[in-house]
Amino acid sequence: MTPAELSRTVLRSVRGAVEEQELSVPVPARIVVRPAPRPGCGDYASNVALQLAKPAGRPAREVAEILRKRLAGSPGIARVEIAGPGFLNFTLGDEAQVALVREVLAQGSGYGDRSDRTNLGARSARSPLTTEAGSADGSAASASASAREVVVAEALARIEVAAGAPDRSCASPVPHPPELVALLARLGSDEARWVLLRPAAHDPVRVPERPVQRESNPRFRVQYAHARTRALLRNAGELGFSGEPGDVGLPVAEGASGIPDEAARRSGSGEPAGTQAAPAGRTLQGLLTLLATYPSAIEAAARLRAPDRVVRHLEATADAFFRWHDDFPPLPVGEQKPLAVHRARLALAEAAGTVLANGLRLLGISAPEYL
């Protein structure tokens, strides 16, 4: 279940409460649902009850209780709780997590893209930066600003189309300023784009002397995460199995040599394995949340004309993937045979790679199969 689907579910509960006269309020056009602010608060949260309390003339917690009862038992929602002055916290069921992975894999390159897919090939053909130099008509500072403006404009054109805006791009490449041509030659296309797109609009661009191919470079880390997902798929194919969305099981037990602690055996410290697994379990939810919120990140980037939001979402997704990968190894270890949990983990790894590839494509940056 994505945040958009959960938002629609909550909106239906509000509409139902109004129709059955449990609440007397104008039905909002949309409900905002966000990832839970901290561990222990479920998967997602909404302040809809606080927003409706004043027009309803009732305490926010009372409004929240009306909605909680309506939402309890909804498909994909395992638990609804009221927190603080009237926040609704949602915990999704395992079936919702599996459905999310299925959705990402089914949509593939279309996940997070609300555009007319029939024109994707034409858009992709127009996307690359041309290395044709334009005439210099200002200072070095203005040339640098112009370089950033050109790259941001091209990325925004793709992001806005993916968010559902009409495709207004021009088939003819626009000549680029000499500063951009020089940057492309020195750093390469991928690094140059990343350097110019990563800062927020009000932040300065920091250009490195040369591209660094190590994990301290966020661009490399994101591309490496994608390449790792592709390598997992190749390695699994050599072992004779493929991904299938399902229950990814428990994280590996501490000191268990990478073997999944499926039986929740007690650890050497005498504590239940589930106790130690709690922080690791949050790595799973963290990755799932970033996959689910990718479409809303694209919409926000388009609405705010801020491609740096896509950059930062990809960085967070790559980091979450590596943390999850360490806790939930997708491949069997040693003499272990492929299990259902390995197929489920492989499917989740493929979904993470799909999101990374889709975001990189919108930025005009390559998603390498090997790195």
Side-chain angles (χ1 to χ4, degrees):
M1 175 177 284
T2 66
E5 292 170 335
L6 180 57
S7 174
R8 289 192 290 269
T9 300
V10 178
L11 182 58
R12 284 195 295 270
S13 73
V14 174
R15 187 175 292 115
V18 171
E19 291 175 350
E20 296 182 18
Q21 299 183 348
E22 288 185 280
L23 290 175
S24 179
V25 294
V27 177
R30 60 190 293 268
I31 303 293
V32 175
V33 173
R34 302 186 186 281
R38 57 187 177 276
C41 296
D43 299 323
Y44 295 97
S46 176
N47 64 350
V48 59
L50 282 79
Q51 294 176 337
L52 297 178
K54 184 174 181 179
R58 305 170 77 167
R61 287 187 64 91
E62 188 175 314
V63 175
E65 178 61 21
I66 292 172
L67 299 179
R68 187 197 67 78
K69 290 180 179 179
R70 287 184 163 272
L71 289 162
S74 297
I77 299 177
R79 188 167 64 254
V80 185
E81 297 173 306
I82 301 173
F87 291 99
L88 287 171
N89 292 342
F90 304 93
T91 300
L92 304 185
D94 292 340
E95 67 277 10
Q97 299 175 354
V98 174
L100 170 63
V101 176
R102 289 191 187 280
E103 179 182 359
V104 175
L105 297 182
Q107 295 188 24
S109 61
Y111 182 67
D113 190 341
R114 296 168 52 197
S115 66
D116 180 1
R117 302 292 295 170
T118 59
N119 293 325
L120 179 60
R123 291 203 315 275
S124 298
R126 305 196 274 271
S127 295
L129 288 167
T130 175
T131 56
E132 177 185 353
S135 58
D137 58 357
S139 65
S142 65
S144 178
S146 178
R148 183 180 188 180
E149 289 167 3
V150 169
V151 173
V152 168
E154 289 193 346
L156 277 176
R158 290 185 291 266
I159 291 170
E160 289 173 346
V161 171
D167 187 354
R168 300 186 181 92
S169 57
C170 175
S172 301
V174 177
H176 291 145
E179 178 78 9
L180 178 53
V181 176
L183 193 63
L184 288 167
R186 179 157 66 90
L187 299 181
S189 178
D190 286 351
E191 184 74 2
R193 290 174 188 262
W194 191 273
V195 165
L196 294 171
L197 292 171
R198 188 173 190 264
H202 57 274
D203 291 335
V205 173
R206 294 180 173 85
V207 180
E209 288 297 322
R210 60 185 182 278
V212 179
Q213 296 293 91
R214 60 174 65 110
E215 291 188 28
S216 59
N217 180 346
R219 186 270 310 163
F220 174 82
R221 199 162 63 245
V222 170
Q223 289 183 312
Y224 179 60
H226 175 266
R228 178 60 182 155
T229 67
R230 303 307 297 173
L232 288 170
L233 292 171
R234 291 192 298 271
N235 294 340
E238 293 172 359
L239 294 174
F241 76 99
S242 59
E244 175 61 34
D247 182 2
V248 299
L250 298 173
V252 292
E254 187 173 320
S257 302
I259 300 175
D261 183 25
E262 305 302 340
R265 296 183 297 273
R266 297 181 67 84
S267 68
S269 65
E271 293 296 325
T275 302
Q276 293 183 347
R282 289 198 285 270
T283 67
L284 169 62
Q285 187 53 48
L287 178 59
L288 289 167
T289 298
L290 286 161
L291 301 188
T293 54
Y294 171 74
S296 60
I298 299 304
E299 293 176 3
R303 184 176 68 255
L304 300 174
R305 298 186 60 78
D308 60 285
R309 285 179 169 253
V310 179
V311 172
R312 298 188 188 284
H313 194 91
L314 295 183
E315 289 181 11
T317 302
D319 292 342
F321 166 74
F322 285 126
R323 288 192 294 269
W324 167 82
H325 175 278
D326 292 342
D327 292 332
F328 296 84
L331 299 179
V333 178
E335 299 299 318
Q336 192 179 25
K337 301 295 183 183
L339 304 173
V341 292
H342 294 120
R343 291 190 289 273
R345 292 170 184 177
L346 186 64
L348 178 51
E350 183 179 2
T354 298
V355 167
L356 292 171
N358 291 356
L360 287 168
R361 185 179 65 250
L362 290 180
L363 299 175
I365 296 172
S366 66
E369 297 277 321
Y370 300 87
L371 198 60

